[in-house]
Amino acid sequence: MRFRTALRTHAAVLALPVTAFFFAYVFFAIRGRMGHFSVLPWPTEAVAFAIHAPVPLAAAAAAGLAAVEATRLRALGVWEMGPARSGFRVAVLPVLVVVLTLAVLLAGIAAGALLIAGVAPDVYVLNLFGIAVVLLTAHATIGFLLGRRLHALYSAPLVSIAVFIGISYPLGTSTWWAHHVTGAVGQINFGEAYSLPMTIAAVLPTVCLALALVVAIGPRRIRVGAVVLSLVIVGSGLLGAYGITREWTSFAPAAKGLAPVVCKGRAPEVCMPAAGSEDLGDIQAALSGMTAKLKAKAIIAEIPTRITDITVSRPQLPDTGGETWTLDLAAGRPDGISWADVAINVVGMPCENPDWNALHYATLWTARTTGKANDYLAWLSRESQSVRTGDGKGQLLAEMDRVDGLPLNEQKAWYVEQLRLSCQGGRTG
C-alpha cells in the first residue's frame, strides 16, 4: 500500500475531524490558565503544561486507531499474502500514519502554547516532543499487534481504555515512582527541562512492552520461547525504570539552571533571568539601599555580594545567610516584587518553632527599616485576624514608634530581644 493510499483510507485519517475537534476543545479549555507563561516565558514549561492532558488521550487514540487498522488489513487478506510481504513491512506504514496524525495534533497544541508564551521552540521542547512521539509509536505498535490478533470491535476500545488509565491513574496515587514511568508529562518549571534519567524512565517501560509484544505475537506463529523472552523484556523495562525513579518524590529531578541569566551592579550584584530583567537596574538600586540600612541596624551581619532570583538559583529556596542570597525577585511578575517576603526572609526563623505573634514585631521593624512597612502590614492583615480587626495592628505600630525613638544601640538590642522572646513563649505584654 502506498503512502498516499494509506492517507486516504487509514482509520486515523478518517477519524481526524473528530480527534482534531476533541483536542482543540481540550486546548481551549486550558488556554485560560496559560496567560502567566507570557509574563516569564520558558518554552518547555509552556509546552509541558499544554500537552500534559492531551498526551494520555493521544496515546489511547494511537493504540485504538492502530488496532482498527490492523483488523481492517486482516479483513483485506493482507496477512494471508504469505512470504510475499513480511509482517514488519506490512505494519510500518499503518503505524507510521497513526503516529504522524496524532503527532500533528500534539504539535498544534504545543504551537498554541508557544504562541501564547510568545517564544520559539528550543532544543528542550524538541526533546519533550520527541518523548511524546516515541510513546505514541510504542502505543500504536501495541494496538496494532493486538488488533492483528483480536478483532478491533473489542480490542480497540479495550486497549484505548487500558492505555489511558495506565498513564493517568498512577498520577493520583502516593506511589511517587509510578508517576514518572507511565509516560505522563511531568511538571516543568522555569529554567528546567527533562533530564536524561527522566527521559529514560518515561519511555523505557512502554517501549519494552511494545518490543515484548513484537517478540511474542508479532510472528505468524506464537512460540513458548518468544513468550518467555517477551516477559523478560517487560520485566527488565519496568525494573530498570523503577531503579531510576525509586527515590524520586512527586517532582522528578529535572535539569535546572538552563535559562539565560543577567547580572547587574555591585554590593550587591543582582542576578535575574534575562526574560524578566527589564527592571533589573531599579531592583538592584533598591536592594543596595535596603541591605545598607539592614547592615546599619545590625539586622544582617554583612552586605551580600550577590542576590540571585529564586527562579535561576540552586537550590530554589529563599536564603539570606552569608555572602550570597536567594530571593523571590518576581522576575516578570505583573504585580511586582513582594517586598514583604524580603523582610520575612531576612528575619527568617530564629528557632524551630517560634511564636509568630512575637516574631511579627521583629519582622515589621525590619520592613520599616527597608521602607516597606506598608507592604508587610498589608500582608499581615491578610494573614492575621488580630491585625485585620485593628487591635493587634495598633499595638504593633505603637511599639514601632516607641523603638524608633530609642538610640541606635538600644534599637539593636531590642531587635535581638524580640528574636529571643519569639523562641521563649512570646511577649508578655
Side-chain angles (χ1 to χ4, degrees):
M1 183 184 297
R2 296 181 180 274
F3 185 72
R4 291 184 178 179
T5 303
L7 288 180
R8 290 197 304 269
T9 60
H10 199 289
V13 177
L14 297 176
L16 187 58
V18 176
T19 54
F21 175 81
F22 189 74
F23 276 78
Y25 173 80
V26 173
F27 173 76
F28 285 108
I30 64 174
R31 185 183 61 173
R33 292 180 286 163
M34 292 193 289
H36 66 282
F37 292 128
S38 62
V39 178
L40 187 61
W42 179 245
T44 312
E45 182 183 18
V47 172
F49 180 86
I51 68 173
H52 171 75
V55 160
L57 298 172
L65 291 170
V68 171
E69 188 64 13
T71 297
R72 188 179 74 87
L73 292 178
R74 186 175 67 180
L76 293 174
V78 174
W79 301 112
E80 282 70 39
M81 293 179 64
R85 296 185 67 186
S86 68
F88 176 78
R89 290 184 60 189
V90 171
V92 167
L93 185 56
V95 170
L96 178 62
V97 174
V98 170
V99 173
L100 287 177
T101 303
L102 291 164
V104 167
L105 295 178
L106 283 181
I109 292 178
L114 293 172
L115 184 63
I116 291 173
V119 289
D122 55 18
V123 65
Y124 308 117
V125 169
L126 296 179
N127 174 63
L128 182 61
F129 194 75
I131 293 172
V133 171
V134 169
L135 290 169
L136 288 178
T137 304
H139 286 295
T141 301
I142 293 169
F144 189 85
L145 291 168
L146 293 177
R148 177 189 174 186
R149 296 289 179 179
L150 307 171
H151 198 283
L153 182 64
Y154 49 89
S155 66
L158 288 178
V159 72
S160 295
I161 293 171
V163 167
F164 182 80
I165 293 176
I167 294 176
S168 302
Y169 176 76
L171 301 179
T173 69
S174 58
T175 306
W176 304 131
W177 69 268
H179 291 202
H180 312 292
V181 302
T182 65
V185 177
Q187 178 179 340
I188 298 296
N189 296 318
F190 182 85
E192 296 181 351
Y194 261 59
S195 61
L196 181 59
M198 287 177 66
T199 301
I200 295 174
V203 303
L204 187 59
T206 307
V207 169
C208 285
L209 177 59
L211 291 175
L213 288 179
V214 170
V215 171
I217 65 176
R220 285 182 170 84
R221 295 181 58 186
I222 299 177
R223 295 179 172 84
V224 174
V227 172
V228 173
L229 178 58
S230 68
L231 293 176
V232 172
I233 294 174
V234 170
S236 299
L238 188 58
L239 289 175
Y242 174 75
I244 295 172
T245 62
R246 66 180 184 275
E247 295 182 355
W248 292 3
T249 64
S250 58
F251 296 99
K256 301 180 183 295
L258 304 177
V261 178
V262 176
C263 298
K264 188 170 186 177
R266 298 177 59 185
E269 178 186 45
V270 178
C271 298
M272 298 174 65
S277 60
E278 294 81 4
D279 300 324
L280 179 55
D282 295 337
I283 293 173
Q284 193 279 332
L287 290 172
S288 179
M290 289 181 181
T291 52
K293 293 175 182 177
L294 294 171
K295 174 68 167 56
K297 289 194 175 182
I299 295 175
I300 60 175
E302 58 183 342
I303 294 177
T305 58
R306 173 178 292 182
I307 299 177
T308 304
D309 181 70
I310 197 170
T311 56
V312 290
S313 66
R314 294 187 183 183
Q316 292 184 321
L317 295 171
D319 182 14
T320 56
E323 295 184 353
T324 59
W325 289 9
T326 300
L327 292 174
D328 185 2
L329 302 178
R333 187 187 296 172
D335 55 354
I337 297 176
S338 175
W339 293 113
D341 288 342
V342 175
I344 293 169
N345 290 326
V346 167
V347 175
M349 293 180 61
C351 53
E352 184 175 352
N353 294 302
D355 182 283
W356 297 107
N357 289 326
L359 198 59
H360 291 328
Y361 287 84
T363 309
L364 178 56
W365 191 61
T366 300
R368 179 174 281 200
T369 299
T370 61
K372 301 297 179 179
N374 290 335
D375 295 76
Y376 181 72
L377 285 172
W379 174 86
L380 195 56
S381 296
R382 295 191 299 269
E383 299 295 323
S384 172
Q385 183 177 358
S386 63
V387 174
R388 188 162 54 248
T389 57
D391 297 338
K393 182 177 180 180
Q395 294 176 9
L396 279 169
L397 294 178
E399 181 67 4
M400 293 301 104
D401 292 338
R402 186 189 71 82
V403 174
D404 282 344
L406 297 175
L408 183 58
N409 288 338
E410 293 186 27
Q411 292 184 32
K412 296 177 181 178
W414 176 89
Y415 176 75
V416 174
E417 178 68 7
Q418 298 312 301
L419 298 181
R420 185 188 67 81
L421 289 173
S422 68
C423 295
Q424 295 184 1
R427 299 165 60 89
T428 58

